[in-house]
Amino acid sequence: MEIIKFVITKNFIFPLVFLGILLLIKPPFHIALIIFLQSAVPPITAIPIVTKRLEGNSSVTNQFIVSSYLMLLLSIPVMFSLFARFFNVI
């Protein structure tokens, strides 16, 4: 259940929040695209290393990352179609 919460938050809620912020500040397209892309991609793969060094459970961290990457197949097209509705693609 925690993995589902993480994936929904990271892959859907974060990009939607950043899309709202971008709509408020209206930066140029290339800046908006970079910011939105950063909000939509899964977490970095170095997190399990940091987790292991801090004596955490790196296998659970790996499960979160793999789940987020698998959901990426659905979330990226959905989020970028929303992005394209509000920002004119050059």
mmCIF file of all heavy atoms in Angstrom, residues 10-56:
data_model
loop_
_atom_site.group_PDB
_atom_site.id
_atom_site.type_symbol
_atom_site.label_atom_id
_atom_site.label_comp_id
_atom_site.label_asym_id
_atom_site.label_seq_id
_atom_site.Cartn_x
_atom_site.Cartn_y
_atom_site.Cartn_z
ATOM 1 N N LYS A 10 4.550 10.639 -6.346
ATOM 2 C CA LYS A 10 5.719 11.040 -7.143
ATOM 3 C C LYS A 10 5.405 11.163 -8.621
ATOM 4 O O LYS A 10 5.889 12.065 -9.286
ATOM 5 C CB LYS A 10 6.865 10.032 -6.929
ATOM 6 C CG LYS A 10 8.096 10.350 -7.731
ATOM 7 C CD LYS A 10 8.681 11.705 -7.370
ATOM 8 C CE LYS A 10 9.846 12.079 -8.239
ATOM 9 N NZ LYS A 10 9.588 13.208 -9.104
ATOM 10 N N ASN A 11 4.608 10.244 -9.164
ATOM 11 C CA ASN A 11 4.396 10.224 -10.608
ATOM 12 C C ASN A 11 3.204 11.067 -11.067
ATOM 13 O O ASN A 11 3.134 11.398 -12.250
ATOM 14 C CB ASN A 11 4.218 8.788 -11.086
ATOM 15 C CG ASN A 11 5.499 7.999 -11.018
ATOM 16 O OD1 ASN A 11 6.208 8.045 -10.035
ATOM 17 N ND2 ASN A 11 5.811 7.272 -12.061
ATOM 18 N N PHE A 12 2.284 11.390 -10.170
ATOM 19 C CA PHE A 12 1.103 12.134 -10.596
ATOM 20 C C PHE A 12 0.903 13.451 -9.835
ATOM 21 O O PHE A 12 0.690 14.492 -10.446
ATOM 22 C CB PHE A 12 -0.159 11.268 -10.485
ATOM 23 C CG PHE A 12 -0.163 10.114 -11.439
ATOM 24 C CD1 PHE A 12 0.192 8.842 -11.023
ATOM 25 C CD2 PHE A 12 -0.502 10.293 -12.765
ATOM 26 C CE1 PHE A 12 0.194 7.776 -11.913
ATOM 27 C CE2 PHE A 12 -0.497 9.242 -13.664
ATOM 28 C CZ PHE A 12 -0.146 7.972 -13.226
ATOM 29 N N ILE A 13 0.989 13.406 -8.520
ATOM 30 C CA ILE A 13 0.704 14.611 -7.739
ATOM 31 C C ILE A 13 1.812 15.651 -7.898
ATOM 32 O O ILE A 13 1.522 16.831 -8.124
ATOM 33 C CB ILE A 13 0.444 14.264 -6.258
ATOM 34 C CG1 ILE A 13 -0.837 13.434 -6.157
ATOM 35 C CG2 ILE A 13 0.342 15.532 -5.420
ATOM 36 C CD1 ILE A 13 -1.156 12.926 -4.780
ATOM 37 N N PHE A 14 3.075 15.243 -7.787
ATOM 38 C CA PHE A 14 4.174 16.197 -7.964
ATOM 39 C C PHE A 14 4.100 16.928 -9.304
ATOM 40 O O PHE A 14 4.168 18.153 -9.345
ATOM 41 C CB PHE A 14 5.530 15.519 -7.816
ATOM 42 C CG PHE A 14 5.999 15.307 -6.402
ATOM 43 C CD1 PHE A 14 5.175 15.549 -5.320
ATOM 44 C CD2 PHE A 14 7.280 14.864 -6.159
ATOM 45 C CE1 PHE A 14 5.608 15.348 -4.026
ATOM 46 C CE2 PHE A 14 7.731 14.658 -4.857
ATOM 47 C CZ PHE A 14 6.887 14.899 -3.791
ATOM 48 N N PRO A 15 3.954 16.206 -10.428
ATOM 49 C CA PRO A 15 3.864 16.928 -11.704
ATOM 50 C C PRO A 15 2.652 17.857 -11.777
ATOM 51 O O PRO A 15 2.747 18.949 -12.335
ATOM 52 C CB PRO A 15 3.760 15.811 -12.744
ATOM 53 C CG PRO A 15 4.349 14.625 -12.100
ATOM 54 C CD PRO A 15 4.043 14.764 -10.649
ATOM 55 N N LEU A 16 1.527 17.454 -11.196
ATOM 56 C CA LEU A 16 0.340 18.317 -11.223
ATOM 57 C C LEU A 16 0.558 19.582 -10.394
ATOM 58 O O LEU A 16 0.146 20.673 -10.799
ATOM 59 C CB LEU A 16 -0.882 17.558 -10.720
ATOM 60 C CG LEU A 16 -1.407 16.476 -11.665
ATOM 61 C CD1 LEU A 16 -2.519 15.691 -10.998
ATOM 62 C CD2 LEU A 16 -1.858 17.068 -12.982
ATOM 63 N N VAL A 17 1.223 19.445 -9.263
ATOM 64 C CA VAL A 17 1.524 20.620 -8.431
ATOM 65 C C VAL A 17 2.471 21.559 -9.185
ATOM 66 O O VAL A 17 2.246 22.771 -9.235
ATOM 67 C CB VAL A 17 2.136 20.191 -7.073
ATOM 68 C CG1 VAL A 17 2.724 21.366 -6.334
ATOM 69 C CG2 VAL A 17 1.079 19.500 -6.225
ATOM 70 N N PHE A 18 3.503 20.995 -9.785
ATOM 71 C CA PHE A 18 4.443 21.829 -10.530
ATOM 72 C C PHE A 18 3.789 22.450 -11.760
ATOM 73 O O PHE A 18 4.108 23.578 -12.126
ATOM 74 C CB PHE A 18 5.695 21.041 -10.912
ATOM 75 C CG PHE A 18 6.721 21.041 -9.823
ATOM 76 C CD1 PHE A 18 6.719 20.066 -8.842
ATOM 77 C CD2 PHE A 18 7.683 22.027 -9.771
ATOM 78 C CE1 PHE A 18 7.655 20.067 -7.826
ATOM 79 C CE2 PHE A 18 8.630 22.044 -8.760
ATOM 80 C CZ PHE A 18 8.613 21.067 -7.779
ATOM 81 N N LEU A 19 2.868 21.747 -12.388
ATOM 82 C CA LEU A 19 2.145 22.327 -13.517
ATOM 83 C C LEU A 19 1.346 23.542 -13.058
ATOM 84 O O LEU A 19 1.337 24.579 -13.728
ATOM 85 C CB LEU A 19 1.229 21.291 -14.168
ATOM 86 C CG LEU A 19 0.437 21.757 -15.382
ATOM 87 C CD1 LEU A 19 1.368 22.208 -16.496
ATOM 88 C CD2 LEU A 19 -0.479 20.651 -15.865
ATOM 89 N N GLY A 20 0.708 23.425 -11.907
ATOM 90 C CA GLY A 20 -0.018 24.570 -11.353
ATOM 91 C C GLY A 20 0.896 25.746 -11.074
ATOM 92 O O GLY A 20 0.564 26.899 -11.390
ATOM 93 N N ILE A 21 2.057 25.470 -10.492
ATOM 94 C CA ILE A 21 3.027 26.541 -10.213
ATOM 95 C C ILE A 21 3.503 27.172 -11.517
ATOM 96 O O ILE A 21 3.596 28.395 -11.630
ATOM 97 C CB ILE A 21 4.214 25.991 -9.393
ATOM 98 C CG1 ILE A 21 3.748 25.596 -7.997
ATOM 99 C CG2 ILE A 21 5.346 27.008 -9.320
ATOM 100 C CD1 ILE A 21 4.758 24.794 -7.195
ATOM 101 N N LEU A 22 3.777 26.341 -12.518
ATOM 102 C CA LEU A 22 4.238 26.866 -13.806
ATOM 103 C C LEU A 22 3.159 27.708 -14.482
ATOM 104 O O LEU A 22 3.466 28.706 -15.136
ATOM 105 C CB LEU A 22 4.666 25.715 -14.718
ATOM 106 C CG LEU A 22 5.930 24.972 -14.297
ATOM 107 C CD1 LEU A 22 6.133 23.726 -15.145
ATOM 108 C CD2 LEU A 22 7.145 25.880 -14.380
ATOM 109 N N LEU A 23 1.916 27.335 -14.316
ATOM 110 C CA LEU A 23 0.831 28.132 -14.892
ATOM 111 C C LEU A 23 0.711 29.486 -14.193
ATOM 112 O O LEU A 23 0.316 30.474 -14.821
ATOM 113 C CB LEU A 23 -0.490 27.374 -14.814
ATOM 114 C CG LEU A 23 -0.601 26.171 -15.748
ATOM 115 C CD1 LEU A 23 -1.870 25.390 -15.461
ATOM 116 C CD2 LEU A 23 -0.539 26.606 -17.195
ATOM 117 N N LEU A 24 1.060 29.519 -12.920
ATOM 118 C CA LEU A 24 1.016 30.787 -12.190
ATOM 119 C C LEU A 24 2.154 31.725 -12.585
ATOM 120 O O LEU A 24 1.949 32.921 -12.768
ATOM 121 C CB LEU A 24 1.068 30.548 -10.682
ATOM 122 C CG LEU A 24 -0.190 29.984 -10.038
ATOM 123 C CD1 LEU A 24 0.066 29.667 -8.569
ATOM 124 C CD2 LEU A 24 -1.339 30.961 -10.178
ATOM 125 N N ILE A 25 3.358 31.181 -12.712
ATOM 126 C CA ILE A 25 4.507 32.053 -12.999
ATOM 127 C C ILE A 25 4.773 32.232 -14.488
ATOM 128 O O ILE A 25 5.495 33.145 -14.865
ATOM 129 C CB ILE A 25 5.781 31.569 -12.264
ATOM 130 C CG1 ILE A 25 6.182 30.165 -12.710
ATOM 131 C CG2 ILE A 25 5.599 31.627 -10.772
ATOM 132 C CD1 ILE A 25 7.480 29.684 -12.109
ATOM 133 N N LYS A 26 4.227 31.346 -15.335
ATOM 134 C CA LYS A 26 4.332 31.433 -16.796
ATOM 135 C C LYS A 26 5.764 31.693 -17.303
ATOM 136 O O LYS A 26 6.019 32.704 -17.961
ATOM 137 C CB LYS A 26 3.387 32.489 -17.330
ATOM 138 C CG LYS A 26 1.938 32.208 -17.038
ATOM 139 C CD LYS A 26 1.043 33.236 -17.682
ATOM 140 C CE LYS A 26 -0.383 33.152 -17.253
ATOM 141 N NZ LYS A 26 -1.076 31.942 -17.363
ATOM 142 N N PRO A 27 6.688 30.779 -17.027
ATOM 143 C CA PRO A 27 8.054 30.953 -17.560
ATOM 144 C C PRO A 27 8.076 30.630 -19.055
ATOM 145 O O PRO A 27 7.113 30.071 -19.589
ATOM 146 C CB PRO A 27 8.862 29.921 -16.771
ATOM 147 C CG PRO A 27 7.876 28.844 -16.477
ATOM 148 C CD PRO A 27 6.566 29.559 -16.253
ATOM 149 N N PRO A 28 9.179 30.948 -19.743
ATOM 150 C CA PRO A 28 9.298 30.549 -21.154
ATOM 151 C C PRO A 28 9.201 29.023 -21.286
ATOM 152 O O PRO A 28 9.494 28.283 -20.342
ATOM 153 C CB PRO A 28 10.696 31.028 -21.549
ATOM 154 C CG PRO A 28 11.076 32.029 -20.521
ATOM 155 C CD PRO A 28 10.330 31.701 -19.275
ATOM 156 N N PHE A 29 8.826 28.577 -22.478
ATOM 157 C CA PHE A 29 8.588 27.151 -22.704
ATOM 158 C C PHE A 29 9.763 26.284 -22.286
ATOM 159 O O PHE A 29 9.572 25.276 -21.596
ATOM 160 C CB PHE A 29 8.245 26.886 -24.176
ATOM 161 C CG PHE A 29 8.173 25.429 -24.497
ATOM 162 C CD1 PHE A 29 7.061 24.692 -24.154
ATOM 163 C CD2 PHE A 29 9.230 24.778 -25.119
ATOM 164 C CE1 PHE A 29 6.991 23.335 -24.429
ATOM 165 C CE2 PHE A 29 9.175 23.435 -25.401
ATOM 166 C CZ PHE A 29 8.040 22.711 -25.059
ATOM 167 N N HIS A 30 10.966 26.617 -22.697
ATOM 168 C CA HIS A 30 12.114 25.750 -22.413
ATOM 169 C C HIS A 30 12.388 25.636 -20.912
ATOM 170 O O HIS A 30 12.761 24.574 -20.431
ATOM 171 C CB HIS A 30 13.357 26.204 -23.183
ATOM 172 C CG HIS A 30 13.824 27.578 -22.853
ATOM 173 N ND1 HIS A 30 13.182 28.711 -23.307
ATOM 174 C CD2 HIS A 30 14.856 28.003 -22.109
ATOM 175 C CE1 HIS A 30 13.816 29.776 -22.853
ATOM 176 N NE2 HIS A 30 14.838 29.372 -22.122
ATOM 177 N N ILE A 31 12.167 26.690 -20.166
ATOM 178 C CA ILE A 31 12.335 26.636 -18.707
ATOM 179 C C ILE A 31 11.229 25.792 -18.091
ATOM 180 O O ILE A 31 11.483 24.945 -17.226
ATOM 181 C CB ILE A 31 12.336 28.053 -18.099
ATOM 182 C CG1 ILE A 31 13.439 28.921 -18.708
ATOM 183 C CG2 ILE A 31 12.417 28.014 -16.586
ATOM 184 C CD1 ILE A 31 14.831 28.458 -18.391
ATOM 185 N N ALA A 32 10.004 26.021 -18.544
ATOM 186 C CA ALA A 32 8.862 25.249 -18.026
ATOM 187 C C ALA A 32 9.040 23.764 -18.310
ATOM 188 O O ALA A 32 8.740 22.920 -17.453
ATOM 189 C CB ALA A 32 7.565 25.761 -18.639
ATOM 190 N N LEU A 33 9.543 23.434 -19.488
ATOM 191 C CA LEU A 33 9.747 22.034 -19.848
ATOM 192 C C LEU A 33 10.772 21.367 -18.937
ATOM 193 O O LEU A 33 10.554 20.254 -18.462
ATOM 194 C CB LEU A 33 10.192 21.927 -21.306
ATOM 195 C CG LEU A 33 10.454 20.524 -21.820
ATOM 196 C CD1 LEU A 33 9.182 19.692 -21.782
ATOM 197 C CD2 LEU A 33 11.025 20.568 -23.222
ATOM 198 N N ILE A 34 11.864 22.032 -18.662
ATOM 199 C CA ILE A 34 12.895 21.464 -17.785
ATOM 200 C C ILE A 34 12.354 21.259 -16.373
ATOM 201 O O ILE A 34 12.546 20.198 -15.774
ATOM 202 C CB ILE A 34 14.151 22.356 -17.769
ATOM 203 C CG1 ILE A 34 14.835 22.311 -19.129
ATOM 204 C CG2 ILE A 34 15.117 21.927 -16.667
ATOM 205 C CD1 ILE A 34 15.942 23.318 -19.292
ATOM 206 N N ILE A 35 11.678 22.253 -15.849
ATOM 207 C CA ILE A 35 11.119 22.134 -14.492
ATOM 208 C C ILE A 35 10.088 21.021 -14.441
ATOM 209 O O ILE A 35 10.077 20.199 -13.518
ATOM 210 C CB ILE A 35 10.527 23.480 -14.039
ATOM 211 C CG1 ILE A 35 11.639 24.509 -13.864
ATOM 212 C CG2 ILE A 35 9.721 23.314 -12.753
ATOM 213 C CD1 ILE A 35 11.152 25.923 -13.640
ATOM 214 N N PHE A 36 9.210 20.975 -15.443
ATOM 215 C CA PHE A 36 8.165 19.949 -15.451
ATOM 216 C C PHE A 36 8.759 18.559 -15.604
ATOM 217 O O PHE A 36 8.321 17.615 -14.943
ATOM 218 C CB PHE A 36 7.158 20.234 -16.565
ATOM 219 C CG PHE A 36 5.953 19.356 -16.476
ATOM 220 C CD1 PHE A 36 5.011 19.561 -15.489
ATOM 221 C CD2 PHE A 36 5.780 18.313 -17.361
ATOM 222 C CE1 PHE A 36 3.907 18.740 -15.387
ATOM 223 C CE2 PHE A 36 4.676 17.491 -17.269
ATOM 224 C CZ PHE A 36 3.738 17.710 -16.284
ATOM 225 N N LEU A 37 9.766 18.432 -16.448
ATOM 226 C CA LEU A 37 10.420 17.139 -16.630
ATOM 227 C C LEU A 37 11.036 16.647 -15.325
ATOM 228 O O LEU A 37 10.916 15.472 -14.968
ATOM 229 C CB LEU A 37 11.480 17.236 -17.726
ATOM 230 C CG LEU A 37 12.231 15.967 -18.072
ATOM 231 C CD1 LEU A 37 11.265 14.901 -18.557
ATOM 232 C CD2 LEU A 37 13.280 16.241 -19.120
ATOM 233 N N GLN A 38 11.684 17.548 -14.603
ATOM 234 C CA GLN A 38 12.274 17.170 -13.312
ATOM 235 C C GLN A 38 11.217 16.704 -12.316
ATOM 236 O O GLN A 38 11.464 15.815 -11.512
ATOM 237 C CB GLN A 38 13.050 18.345 -12.719
ATOM 238 C CG GLN A 38 14.358 18.608 -13.398
ATOM 239 C CD GLN A 38 15.345 17.470 -13.189
ATOM 240 O OE1 GLN A 38 15.423 16.881 -12.119
ATOM 241 N NE2 GLN A 38 16.085 17.153 -14.219
ATOM 242 N N SER A 39 10.039 17.301 -12.367
ATOM 243 C CA SER A 39 8.984 16.905 -11.435
ATOM 244 C C SER A 39 8.331 15.589 -11.828
ATOM 245 O O SER A 39 7.755 14.904 -10.984
ATOM 246 C CB SER A 39 7.918 17.995 -11.341
ATOM 247 O OG SER A 39 7.121 18.030 -12.512
ATOM 248 N N ALA A 40 8.411 15.208 -13.104
ATOM 249 C CA ALA A 40 7.697 14.032 -13.588
ATOM 250 C C ALA A 40 8.520 12.751 -13.582
ATOM 251 O O ALA A 40 7.949 11.665 -13.613
ATOM 252 C CB ALA A 40 7.185 14.292 -15.005
ATOM 253 N N VAL A 41 9.836 12.857 -13.554
ATOM 254 C CA VAL A 41 10.657 11.647 -13.616
ATOM 255 C C VAL A 41 10.788 11.009 -12.233
ATOM 256 O O VAL A 41 10.687 11.688 -11.212
ATOM 257 C CB VAL A 41 12.059 11.933 -14.208
ATOM 258 C CG1 VAL A 41 11.949 12.388 -15.644
ATOM 259 C CG2 VAL A 41 12.819 12.914 -13.375
ATOM 260 N N PRO A 42 11.021 9.710 -12.199
ATOM 261 C CA PRO A 42 11.184 9.015 -10.912
ATOM 262 C C PRO A 42 12.435 9.483 -10.168
ATOM 263 O O PRO A 42 13.286 10.150 -10.744
ATOM 264 C CB PRO A 42 11.324 7.544 -11.305
ATOM 265 C CG PRO A 42 10.751 7.448 -12.662
ATOM 266 C CD PRO A 42 10.992 8.781 -13.315
ATOM 267 N N PRO A 43 12.548 9.094 -8.898
ATOM 268 C CA PRO A 43 13.702 9.511 -8.101
ATOM 269 C C PRO A 43 15.000 8.911 -8.638
ATOM 270 O O PRO A 43 14.988 7.935 -9.369
ATOM 271 C CB PRO A 43 13.385 8.969 -6.699
ATOM 272 C CG PRO A 43 12.399 7.895 -6.916
ATOM 273 C CD PRO A 43 11.634 8.246 -8.147
ATOM 274 N N ILE A 44 16.111 9.519 -8.238
ATOM 275 C CA ILE A 44 17.409 9.052 -8.719
ATOM 276 C C ILE A 44 17.715 7.661 -8.184
ATOM 277 O O ILE A 44 17.231 7.258 -7.127
ATOM 278 C CB ILE A 44 18.535 10.033 -8.331
ATOM 279 C CG1 ILE A 44 18.626 10.183 -6.816
ATOM 280 C CG2 ILE A 44 18.351 11.357 -9.008
ATOM 281 C CD1 ILE A 44 19.819 10.963 -6.351
ATOM 282 N N THR A 45 18.506 6.946 -8.922
ATOM 283 C CA THR A 45 18.808 5.561 -8.552
ATOM 284 C C THR A 45 19.888 5.453 -7.488
ATOM 285 O O THR A 45 20.196 4.358 -7.041
ATOM 286 C CB THR A 45 19.233 4.760 -9.797
ATOM 287 O OG1 THR A 45 20.320 5.436 -10.419
ATOM 288 C CG2 THR A 45 18.090 4.628 -10.775
ATOM 289 N N ALA A 46 20.467 6.558 -7.059
ATOM 290 C CA ALA A 46 21.483 6.522 -6.005
ATOM 291 C C ALA A 46 20.853 6.449 -4.616
ATOM 292 O O ALA A 46 21.563 6.259 -3.628
ATOM 293 C CB ALA A 46 22.374 7.744 -6.100
ATOM 294 N N ILE A 47 19.553 6.579 -4.539
ATOM 295 C CA ILE A 47 18.889 6.566 -3.234
ATOM 296 C C ILE A 47 19.131 5.267 -2.459
ATOM 297 O O ILE A 47 19.368 5.318 -1.252
ATOM 298 C CB ILE A 47 17.384 6.873 -3.386
ATOM 299 C CG1 ILE A 47 17.215 8.325 -3.807
ATOM 300 C CG2 ILE A 47 16.619 6.589 -2.108
ATOM 301 C CD1 ILE A 47 15.796 8.727 -4.100
ATOM 302 N N PRO A 48 19.115 4.072 -3.107
ATOM 303 C CA PRO A 48 19.411 2.854 -2.328
ATOM 304 C C PRO A 48 20.800 2.859 -1.691
ATOM 305 O O PRO A 48 20.989 2.328 -0.598
ATOM 306 C CB PRO A 48 19.290 1.731 -3.359
ATOM 307 C CG PRO A 48 18.412 2.264 -4.411
ATOM 308 C CD PRO A 48 18.684 3.736 -4.453
ATOM 309 N N ILE A 49 21.770 3.476 -2.354
ATOM 310 C CA ILE A 49 23.116 3.560 -1.793
ATOM 311 C C ILE A 49 23.108 4.414 -0.533
ATOM 312 O O ILE A 49 23.690 4.041 0.491
ATOM 313 C CB ILE A 49 24.102 4.119 -2.842
ATOM 314 C CG1 ILE A 49 24.197 3.168 -4.020
ATOM 315 C CG2 ILE A 49 25.474 4.378 -2.229
ATOM 316 C CD1 ILE A 49 24.905 3.734 -5.222
ATOM 317 N N VAL A 50 22.442 5.547 -0.610
ATOM 318 C CA VAL A 50 22.342 6.430 0.559
ATOM 319 C C VAL A 50 21.576 5.722 1.675
ATOM 320 O O VAL A 50 21.966 5.783 2.846
ATOM 321 C CB VAL A 50 21.654 7.760 0.174
ATOM 322 C CG1 VAL A 50 21.424 8.622 1.391
ATOM 323 C CG2 VAL A 50 22.474 8.498 -0.867
ATOM 324 N N THR A 51 20.509 5.025 1.316
ATOM 325 C CA THR A 51 19.723 4.288 2.312
ATOM 326 C C THR A 51 20.577 3.240 3.009
ATOM 327 O O THR A 51 20.515 3.088 4.229
ATOM 328 C CB THR A 51 18.513 3.614 1.634
ATOM 329 O OG1 THR A 51 17.733 4.595 0.968
ATOM 330 C CG2 THR A 51 17.655 2.890 2.639
ATOM 331 N N LYS A 52 21.379 2.511 2.252
ATOM 332 C CA LYS A 52 22.232 1.479 2.836
ATOM 333 C C LYS A 52 23.289 2.088 3.758
ATOM 334 O O LYS A 52 23.565 1.559 4.827
ATOM 335 C CB LYS A 52 22.886 0.664 1.728
ATOM 336 C CG LYS A 52 23.536 -0.591 2.213
ATOM 337 C CD LYS A 52 23.935 -1.483 1.059
ATOM 338 C CE LYS A 52 24.444 -2.801 1.605
ATOM 339 N NZ LYS A 52 24.731 -3.752 0.540
ATOM 340 N N ARG A 53 23.872 3.213 3.339
ATOM 341 C CA ARG A 53 24.879 3.873 4.180
ATOM 342 C C ARG A 53 24.284 4.364 5.488
ATOM 343 O O ARG A 53 24.969 4.431 6.501
ATOM 344 C CB ARG A 53 25.508 5.041 3.435
ATOM 345 C CG ARG A 53 26.487 4.613 2.388
ATOM 346 C CD ARG A 53 27.199 5.779 1.801
ATOM 347 N NE ARG A 53 28.100 5.319 0.751
ATOM 348 C CZ ARG A 53 28.671 6.090 -0.121
ATOM 349 N NH1 ARG A 53 28.447 7.393 -0.100
ATOM 350 N NH2 ARG A 53 29.464 5.597 -1.041
ATOM 351 N N LEU A 54 23.012 4.739 5.457
ATOM 352 C CA LEU A 54 22.346 5.205 6.675
ATOM 353 C C LEU A 54 21.674 4.061 7.428
ATOM 354 O O LEU A 54 20.838 4.284 8.299
ATOM 355 C CB LEU A 54 21.320 6.291 6.325
ATOM 356 C CG LEU A 54 21.917 7.564 5.727
ATOM 357 C CD1 LEU A 54 20.812 8.507 5.282
ATOM 358 C CD2 LEU A 54 22.817 8.252 6.740
ATOM 359 N N GLU A 55 22.034 2.823 7.034
ATOM 360 C CA GLU A 55 21.557 1.598 7.674
ATOM 361 C C GLU A 55 20.047 1.431 7.560
ATOM 362 O O GLU A 55 19.389 0.900 8.456
ATOM 363 C CB GLU A 55 22.016 1.537 9.134
ATOM 364 C CG GLU A 55 23.527 1.538 9.262
ATOM 365 C CD GLU A 55 23.991 1.526 10.706
ATOM 366 O OE1 GLU A 55 23.160 1.423 11.614
ATOM 367 O OE2 GLU A 55 25.211 1.613 10.891
ATOM 368 N N GLY A 56 19.502 1.876 6.430
ATOM 369 C CA GLY A 56 18.083 1.672 6.154
ATOM 370 C C GLY A 56 17.887 0.404 5.343
ATOM 371 O O GLY A 56 18.834 -0.329 5.052
#
